Amino acid sequence: MSDNNIMKGGLGTGLLILSVIVLVASFGFVMYNLMSHGHASFNVSSSLPWGQPISTYLYFALASSGLGLIASLPLVFGFKEYYGLAKRAIFLAFIILVSGMAVLALELGHTFRMLWAIPFNMQIQSAMFWMGVFYAADLLFLLWKFQKMESGDWDSKATRTIGIASFLGVLLASGNLALIFGMMSMRPFWFDGLLPIYFYLTAVTSGLAALVFFTYLAYGFSRGAMPENLQRALTNGLPKLFAAALGLTILFIAARAITGLYSNNPEIHYVWTNYLFASPIYVASVVLGLLVPFALMMSASLRVNPAIQILVSILTFGGLFAERYFFVVGGQVVPLFKGTWAWDMIQYTPSITEWALTIMGSALLFTLYVLGERFFNLSATPEQPSMAESPERAGQATA
Amino acid sequence: MAKWGMVIDLDKCTGCQACTTACSMENNTLPGESWQDVLFYHEGEYPSAQMKWLPRPCMQCEKPSCVYVCPTRATYKDEEAGGIVFVDWNKCIGCKYCMIACPYGVRFYADEQPLVEPDIRDVYPGENGQMWSPPYQNPEQDWRRGIGIQPKGVVSKCTFCHHKVSKAPDGVADLDEDDPDLVEYVPACVRTCPPKARFFGDLDNPESNVNRLIGDKHGVRLLDHTGNRPQVYYLGAGAGIPAFSPRKS
């Protein structure tokens, strides 16, 4: 079934070697700089403490959550046409989350202390405490669910229960991640009770981008080489879902932008006028990373074209990476409690070390991805063992 | 136990920054790591523009948002110590969430690029786990309360000079630098203030001078709408920060 998976061949080996080299080099570079200069090798400051490493973590964590939500379509809600995508989605969700956590680990002042200080102090009032709890649970459920799939158990009662638990875990983890920002009333650009909805939408959009890209990558960007059920998913439901997710994401960003532009509150208004819309990169990320992909996916003929699907997934990757970055930095660029003492907005450009950290996370993702494609059959479906033999049982599983 | 509060009279403050310097000397902070600072700003435009300034320590809030967000309880409000908000450097993981959540911008992560060159941390490299070790440093150290010179990777902040005020006699209503018996227990910024614009005392004691000043001279707390309820009060005209506006068109 997955004989055409090029990751199992020479190209996969090449990508693996390249990814490992980039991973080792970027990790070495980051560690050298952290050991020699500490966090002074980052361009963040006490005025703007969260920079690109945090937005990279956010990007990875939410792409993982999006993949988890997409996988729940067949595994929890019974959309059988997505069965072929489910196992790869679960695997990608796991490795993207691991990559994001690796980036976060190197951003913190004391990574290993976190491992005991968070569980032993039980500060349940902190959203960050719950981030640890929910993402740890998310990681565990993803692993457990993948293990069940790997053993061919797709529809037992236990698997379905794990699937539901995982779905809830994903909702809680990404919703809570949104509230880490959304509950900060002293940061008006972020303060928004509906931020979890925005995070769910962008999570699904970035998850779809990841799923489409990595599915194509596994088959040498050739849809014809894919198993039948994957081809069906990529020509029927998934492109429409991608278009809908992009459209809703744009809608939510538009609502936030209109509110911000209308508001007189300088801590929101100036972020939109003097930072976001003043940045050609932000404007380009919205146009090329969201509006163009949406327009392409709204065309019934273009959205099923493999080249367009690959292009859209790459554009959306970039668009949402920028969106996360500008979201995180945008909440801090207006100097806090400085009034007119501050000459201008806080200037921040990621340092080479911060970029290296982003590259390290991406290289780790690619490394784990190639290993996953080589050692597992990520296009596996439950059809052969269970559906063919017991249609009632399969129907029950998706009910 | 007392509930320590500070009163700053803006009608007396000259913006001389003696408090900032005294704090830096007392607590061995790095350039830019201004636990206590005086912010200068303008309000209005010509011909009615005003030059203003605001001394700004940690507000030691009654409901401190930094404490609620800390995932490890490293930052905590110690009611036994007069309601001072501390950072336990043995627990802080350097996530900087407290710096995001503090509305007053009075928390510092000194493991960052130096404000001035040469980097004083390179000139006096750290020993015994400290980020840096100057030739002279205050011998008072208590990492569980964020007192002393911090290690790398943690957040630091004003402690209301806990190492001094904690030694004050029990039941004292005010720590007045003019009282020879109490002068050693007065926070450095209060003790050094040349125009005597700062007052320090027990907010729970109805007889204290700080309570009298707040009541008689209409003391206000800054950013009251955040609900953080500072234990630092301001007297006089213009207690507040004008809204930010970028000066580049």
Side-chain angles (χ1 to χ4, degrees), chain A residues 298-313:
Chain A
M298 283 303 285
S299 159
S301 56
L302 289 178
R303 70 168 161 247
V304 293
N305 182 319
I308 295 293
Q309 291 184 342
I310 295 160
L311 176 69
V312 162
S313 63

Side-chain angles (χ1 to χ4, degrees), chain A residues 160-367:
Chain A
R160 273 178 284 149
T161 309
I162 294 166
I164 293 166
S166 178
F167 171 66
L168 292 174
V170 167
L171 281 183
L172 289 170
S174 49
N176 174 74
L177 189 56
L179 293 178
I180 283 184
F181 299 91
M183 292 194 296
M184 295 298 103
S185 62
M186 65 299 291
R187 303 275 182 178
F189 179 73
W190 291 335
F191 185 50
D192 184 350
L194 295 180
L195 216 53
I197 312 295
Y198 166 68
F199 271 38
Y200 293 146
L201 291 173
T202 50
V204 169
T205 310
S206 55
L208 281 165
L211 187 56
V212 169
F213 177 79
F214 283 112
T215 305
Y216 272 103
L217 182 59
Y219 294 97
F221 296 109
S222 164
R223 196 158 68 206
M226 293 179 193
E228 184 64 25
N229 56 6
L230 272 181
Q231 292 193 35
R232 265 203 314 276
L234 286 169
T235 48
N236 293 321
L238 204 71
K240 291 177 191 164
L241 186 66
F242 206 160
L246 280 164
L248 290 168
T249 298
I250 292 165
L251 190 69
F252 210 103
I253 291 172
R256 275 177 60 79
I258 292 164
T259 313
L261 291 170
Y262 186 82
S263 167
N264 278 338
N265 185 333
E267 288 173 74
I268 310 173
H269 183 82
Y270 288 126
V271 178
W272 285 100
T273 56
N274 289 36
Y275 180 64
L276 298 179
F277 287 141
S279 162
I281 297 173
Y282 180 74
V283 175
S285 74
V286 171
V287 174
L288 297 177
L290 291 170
L291 290 173
V292 169
F294 176 62
L296 291 171
M297 293 311 267
M298 283 303 285
S299 159
S301 56
L302 289 178
R303 70 168 161 247
V304 293
N305 182 319
I308 295 293
Q309 291 184 342
I310 295 160
L311 176 69
V312 162
S313 63
I314 293 169
L315 287 176
T316 309
F317 259 146
L320 283 175
F321 182 81
E323 180 65 26
R324 302 276 183 248
Y325 172 86
F326 282 101
F327 174 80
V328 169
V329 177
Q332 306 164 75
V333 285
V334 174
L336 192 73
F337 200 63
K338 296 283 196 299
T340 47
W341 182 76
W343 190 261
D344 198 2
M345 291 189 155
I346 300 166
Q347 305 295 315
Y348 168 74
T349 310
S351 68
I352 296 172
T353 310
E354 288 170 299
W355 271 112
L357 206 45
T358 300
I359 292 166
M360 186 205 82
S362 308
L364 178 59
L365 168 61
F366 272 88
T367 304

Side-chain angles (χ1 to χ4, degrees), chain A residues 38-40 42-46 49-50 107-110 113-114 116-118 121-123 125-129 179-180 184 186-187 190 266 270 274 332 334-345, chain B residues 39-42 54 56 65 67-73 89-97 99-105 107-109 111-113 152-154 222-223 241-248:
Chain A
H39 283 75
F42 291 179
N43 276 353
V44 289
S45 65
S46 289
W50 284 355
E107 197 276 342
L108 293 174
H110 289 279
R113 183 179 292 173
M114 170 186 72
W116 63 262
I118 292 183
N121 288 289
M122 290 299 287
Q123 173 50 301
Q125 291 184 91
S126 169
M128 207 174 269
F129 167 84
L179 293 178
I180 283 184
M184 295 298 103
M186 65 299 291
R187 303 275 182 178
W190 291 335
Y270 288 126
N274 289 36
Q332 306 164 75
V334 174
L336 192 73
F337 200 63
K338 296 283 196 299
T340 47
W341 182 76
W343 190 261
D344 198 2
M345 291 189 155
Chain B
L39 308 181
F40 287 84
Y41 45 85
H42 69 271
L54 184 94
R56 182 221 53 188
S65 44
V67 167
Y68 301 142
V69 302
C70 176
T72 64
R73 293 187 198 268
W89 287 337
N90 295 319
K91 279 187 185 175
C92 178
I93 60 171
C95 71
K96 291 156 275 183
Y97 197 12
M99 297 168 68
I100 292 289
C102 169
Y104 304 96
R107 292 179 154 259
F108 301 88
Y109 190 74
D111 193 2
E112 61 181 8
Q113 288 172 10
K152 279 187 174 180
V154 300
L222 300 185
L223 301 185
I241 291 277
F244 168 78
S245 74
R247 279 178 243 186
K248 288 178 188 168

Side-chain angles (χ1 to χ4, degrees), chain B residues 37-51:
Chain B
D37 202 353
V38 181
L39 308 181
F40 287 84
Y41 45 85
H42 69 271
E43 185 148 30
E45 291 172 3
Y46 175 84
S48 60
Q50 305 164 57
M51 171 85 180

Side-chain angles (χ1 to χ4, degrees), chain A residues 46, chain B residues 19-24 26-38 55-60 86-87 89 104-110 142 145-150 154-163 189 198:
Chain A
S46 289
Chain B
C19 49
T20 308
T21 309
C23 171
S24 182
E26 178 72 27
N27 295 296
N28 304 111
T29 56
L30 287 163
E33 189 195 357
S34 304
W35 291 2
Q36 151 63 48
D37 202 353
V38 181
R56 182 221 53 188
C58 170
M59 304 289 161
Q60 317 291 354
F86 294 117
V87 182
W89 287 337
Y104 304 96
V106 288
R107 292 179 154 259
F108 301 88
Y109 190 74
D142 183 356
R145 292 190 170 91
I147 293 167
I149 294 180
Q150 72 269 46
V154 300
V155 170
S156 65
K157 67 178 285 296
C158 159
T159 63
F160 258 6
C161 283
H162 173 75
H163 56 281
C189 58
R198 287 181 181 243

